[in-house]
Amino acid sequence: MRMRGRRLLPIAISLIVIIILCISYIASPLRSKSQRDEFLVQLPPNSMEDNDSDQTTHLEHLPEVGPGPLLNLSNFDYLLASNVCRRAERELLAILIVTSYAGHDAVRAAHRQAIAQSKLAEMGLQRVFLLAALPAREHFVTQAQLMDEQARFGDLLQGNFVEAYRNLSYKHVMGLRWAASECQHRTKFIIKMDDDIIYDIFHLRRYLETLELSQPALAPSSAFLAGYVLDARPPIRVQANKWYVSRQEYPHALYPAYLSGWLYITNVATAARLVAEAMRVPFFWIDDTWLTGIVRARLGIPLIRHNNWYSANAEFLDCCVRDLKLHSYECEYFAGPNGADAKLLVEFLHNVEKCYFDECIKRPPGKSLKQTCLATVKSPAPEHGVAHVQPLRLR
Ligand SMILES: *[C@@H]1O[C@H](CO)[C@@H](O)[C@H](O)[C@H]1NC(C)=O
Ligand SMILES: *[C@@H]1O[C@H](CO)[C@@H](O)[C@H](O)[C@H]1NC(C)=O
Ligand SMILES: *[C@@H]1O[C@H](CO)[C@@H](O)[C@H](O)[C@H]1NC(C)=O
């Protein structure tokens, strides 16, 4: 009898929690019809990716993701370490981890100008930039300057491996591992992005807040990965291409589905699993393909598809800024490349915020971006190197 009682207690507690969550979900003023439709999260129909075993691991059962060697970098250490998560006064909604070439100090300045740390903090967010060691050929920025930048902002996380395309996977794992250990119990979500991406942080925040209510089991689960899904693509086998991959590096004809590293969303529990699994999988230098594709597939974590958030054309986001200023039209996209214009993020975020105070209007029929913004396609598609291989589909 005592055994039975002990088993029933957790079940009863779980039931009560579920009932409370359902009531608060139904009663929430956020749940207007349009928002439900807009933010409904759909798991991909491709059930091959779906694997529900072990998808509800709780934080207590996670593998250790502390300091120490990073993959096969046995003497890995931080040159600069941020403590933005430890400093946070209450649990964050999300930590933004932004891949940034160490020499891109002007790009980071644009990010801070677009949205300051204090404003992020008010929104329950924080941000760190992921850097590596300056390469010898870097003549404009010095480590002393980076130390100065860290003293002012405290938002740099710099590993001691050297900045290089082929070291991006180290940087990516470094960021996920740091977020999963430093921010464990301190943040709900992790947003990984590149520093040359425009992103609507107000949209992302609303999405995550809504997700917590609408998908109370998914949001904290150890199987949460959402972003721009690239379905089974072939590796680029053209040697002249920057993204050329040899058959030794990757022998298979197709990559598993993966998320574009432009911007994707995960959480602490999922990041910890990816990092732990990455140690058991042969290293592959294309970071998003490796971590959110090859490593993820081994864990059977499904991908949540938000491809309609993204524009591959920087021109569209440029036109969005123009139309936000002139007509207060809502932007159809929430993320995309900046087209090598770091200031575009400043303009975009400063102008899009009003839409979250109901001060914007939907684009009238006949005024879609496709019709009013004649984009000349020059930006790359999210998949590495695809622009060289096939024409970009205008969306
Ligand atoms: C799900 O993954 C587990 C191991 O992680 C495996 O044993 C099982 O066969 C998988 N199920 C499906 C339906 O793929
Ligand atoms: C780590 O692994 C990569 C890929 O296999 C290899 O190229 C590199 O030399 C290794 N680095 C060290 C420090 O062992
Ligand atoms: C990657 O980092 C390692 C460790 O710092 C360095 O030895 C190597 O040269 C870097 N890779 C490239 C391609 O520069």
Side-chain angles (χ1 to χ4, degrees):
M1 288 308 285
R2 287 183 59 155
M3 282 301 291
R4 262 181 76 108
R6 258 193 224 164
R7 281 209 203 127
L8 283 175
L9 188 61
I11 295 173
I13 291 174
S14 311
L15 274 175
I16 291 167
V17 169
I18 288 168
I19 290 165
I20 291 171
L21 283 171
C22 287
I23 291 170
S24 61
Y25 165 67
I26 291 161
S28 163
L30 274 174
R31 300 289 311 161
S32 75
K33 168 89 171 71
S34 68
Q35 272 171 346
R36 177 165 40 234
D37 292 344
E38 192 176 347
F39 293 108
L40 192 68
V41 174
Q42 299 246 298
L43 293 180
N46 182 358
S47 60
M48 235 177 68
E49 287 165 16
D50 292 15
N51 188 332
D52 280 335
S53 68
D54 194 32
Q55 312 273 279
T56 48
T57 319
H58 292 292
L59 286 176
E60 290 69 39
H61 307 131
L62 287 176
E64 277 297 315
V65 280
L70 188 74
L71 302 171
N72 66 350
L73 300 179
S74 49
N75 61 356
F76 171 80
D77 205 351
Y78 293 114
L79 298 177
L80 297 169
S82 173
N83 66 354
V84 291
C85 269
R86 275 166 199 250
R87 245 177 18 210
E89 281 158 18
R90 58 197 159 88
E91 190 185 28
L92 299 172
L93 179 65
I95 177 83
L96 282 62
I97 57 174
V98 187
T99 304
S100 176
Y101 169 65
H104 280 171
D105 55 347
V107 177
R108 293 189 291 276
H111 275 259
R112 297 188 191 101
Q113 192 191 341
I115 186 152
Q117 275 172 314
S118 53
K119 171 115 184 192
L120 283 173
E122 281 168 27
M123 294 169 68
L125 305 167
Q126 272 300 337
R127 170 181 56 208
V128 289
F129 295 98
L130 310 176
L131 316 182
L134 289 163
R137 64 181 155 72
E138 172 61 55
H139 297 304
F140 296 104
V141 173
T142 63
Q143 186 62 23
Q145 277 171 267
L146 295 180
M147 288 166 71
D148 196 47
E149 189 179 335
Q150 180 76 330
R152 287 180 65 194
F153 302 104
D155 58 3
L156 303 182
L157 184 69
Q158 185 186 27
N160 63 353
F161 52 93
V162 176
E163 287 282 5
Y165 263 175
R166 295 208 166 232
N167 278 347
L168 274 179
S169 286
Y170 292 114
K171 190 182 268 192
H172 198 147
V173 171
M174 175 182 85
L176 290 180
R177 187 174 77 169
W178 176 85
S181 58
E182 272 286 308
C183 310
Q184 188 180 358
H185 306 307
R186 296 191 175 96
T187 190
K188 292 182 177 134
F189 297 100
I190 300 168
I191 301 176
K192 188 275 164 194
M193 72 177 107
D194 292 339
D195 69 357
D196 56 356
I197 290 301
I198 306 289
Y199 63 101
D200 183 342
I201 191 60
F202 308 103
H203 167 77
L204 294 174
R205 176 177 181 240
R206 189 178 276 187
Y207 164 73
L208 291 176
E209 284 176 343
T210 310
L211 187 78
E212 280 194 277
L213 298 172
S214 63
Q215 308 262 332
L218 174 68
S221 81
S222 60
F224 178 69
L225 276 169
Y228 193 113
V229 179
L230 291 143
D231 297 297
R233 305 280 168 119
I236 291 169
R237 303 293 193 191
V238 181
Q239 284 202 25
N241 194 293
K242 187 170 86 174
W243 299 103
Y244 164 71
V245 169
S246 71
R247 286 197 164 72
Q248 262 156 340
E249 288 172 318
Y250 189 78
H252 308 291
L254 297 173
Y255 294 126
Y258 66 96
L259 292 178
S260 165
W262 275 3
L263 186 152
Y264 73 83
I265 312 174
T266 185
N267 61 20
V268 165
T270 311
R273 282 177 79 201
L274 289 175
V275 170
E277 189 66 16
M279 293 192 274
R280 299 184 203 112
V281 184
F283 183 85
F284 184 59
W285 60 276
I286 302 185
D287 62 308
D288 48 7
T289 312
W290 188 48
L291 286 164
T292 70
I294 297 163
V295 174
R296 168 205 66 80
R298 283 169 53 111
L299 296 167
I301 299 174
L303 298 176
I304 298 165
R305 184 181 298 264
H306 288 302
N307 294 17
N308 60 338
W309 290 0
Y310 297 76
S311 163
N313 294 294
E315 290 80 2
F316 278 4
L317 291 165
D318 217 5
C319 291
C320 266
V321 171
R322 179 198 66 193
D323 291 347
L324 276 164
K325 281 184 184 166
L326 284 176
H327 312 291
S328 294
Y329 288 163
E330 281 176 2
C331 186
E332 290 152 79
Y333 298 107
F334 305 108
N338 67 10
D341 176 5
K343 286 283 183 190
L344 186 58
L345 179 65
V346 182
E347 290 267 284
F348 181 76
L349 282 182
H350 287 185
N351 284 287
V352 84
E353 187 178 7
K354 64 182 171 196
C355 298
Y356 296 84
F357 295 99
D358 286 332
E359 288 168 25
C360 293
I361 53 169
K362 287 243 180 296
R363 284 184 164 275
K367 298 266 181 194
S368 76
L369 275 180
K370 257 180 278 186
Q371 285 158 305
T372 60
C373 184
L374 290 175
T376 47
V377 181
K378 64 181 184 208
S379 317
E383 186 187 25
H384 300 300
V386 78
H388 307 277
V389 180
Q390 60 196 51
L392 185 67
R393 192 166 61 94
L394 274 181
R395 299 188 312 125

